[in-house]
Amino acid sequence: MTTISCDVLVAGTGIIGAACALALADHGLDVLCTGEPAATLGTASSAAGAMLGVLGEVTTDDDPAPDSLDDHALRLRHRAAQAWPDWAEHLAQTAETPVPIRYGTTVIASASQPGDRANLRAITAAADRLGLPAHPIDPADVPY
């Protein structure tokens, strides 16, 4: 049996585990990051896909009050997305490879379902609160 020593063991090789390991290593610690490899190399875990899509998970369940917990969570996601370009540049320099960034969120919903229409209105309202562009498109205007 091989013994490996380190200052910190990070359990999890997803984006959060890898980010924690890198941040700790940046502070001079000897870090071992362990866990299952990604299902497809170069992709985020299935839970990480919406991390930068500030509006992608907004629903009518979110409380629109500016002092609500959900509004704080929305604003936290927005600040995290704003911080991403600097973090991506750090990753690119560390890995010596470009980290592509793509902006925008596309939400497709069934206009025939009242819940979907309500959620689309909630997304537009959240975008307005954050000063983000949102462009609802009437289904009749979508070419097919």
Side-chain angles (χ1 to χ4, degrees), residues 72-125:
H72 293 297
L74 177 68
R75 291 183 187 282
L76 176 63
R77 290 195 305 259
H78 185 227
R79 286 192 306 275
Q82 289 174 316
W84 177 250
D86 289 341
W87 178 244
E89 178 59 29
H90 177 63
L91 292 176
Q93 290 175 0
T94 301
E96 298 180 354
T97 188
V99 175
I101 299 177
R102 292 179 181 85
Y103 294 97
T105 300
T106 301
V107 178
I108 299 173
S110 169
S112 66
Q113 300 298 316
D116 282 348
R117 289 193 304 272
N119 287 336
L120 290 172
R121 286 191 299 274
I123 290 169
T124 301

Side-chain angles (χ1 to χ4, degrees), residues 11-111:
T13 58
I15 188 66
I16 302 301
C20 289
L22 178 58
L24 292 163
D26 284 346
H27 283 82
L29 295 170
D30 185 19
V31 181
L32 175 62
C33 187
T34 184
E36 293 295 320
T40 303
L41 294 178
T43 64
S45 66
S46 59
M51 287 191 328
L52 300 178
V54 176
L55 303 172
E57 295 182 347
V58 171
T59 67
T60 56
D61 294 335
D62 294 321
D63 183 345
D67 61 345
S68 73
L69 178 61
D70 290 322
D71 190 71
H72 293 297
L74 177 68
R75 291 183 187 282
L76 176 63
R77 290 195 305 259
H78 185 227
R79 286 192 306 275
Q82 289 174 316
W84 177 250
D86 289 341
W87 178 244
E89 178 59 29
H90 177 63
L91 292 176
Q93 290 175 0
T94 301
E96 298 180 354
T97 188
V99 175
I101 299 177
R102 292 179 181 85
Y103 294 97
T105 300
T106 301
V107 178
I108 299 173
S110 169

Side-chain angles (χ1 to χ4, degrees), residues 136-144:
I137 300 171
D138 188 288
D141 295 336
V142 176
Y144 58 94

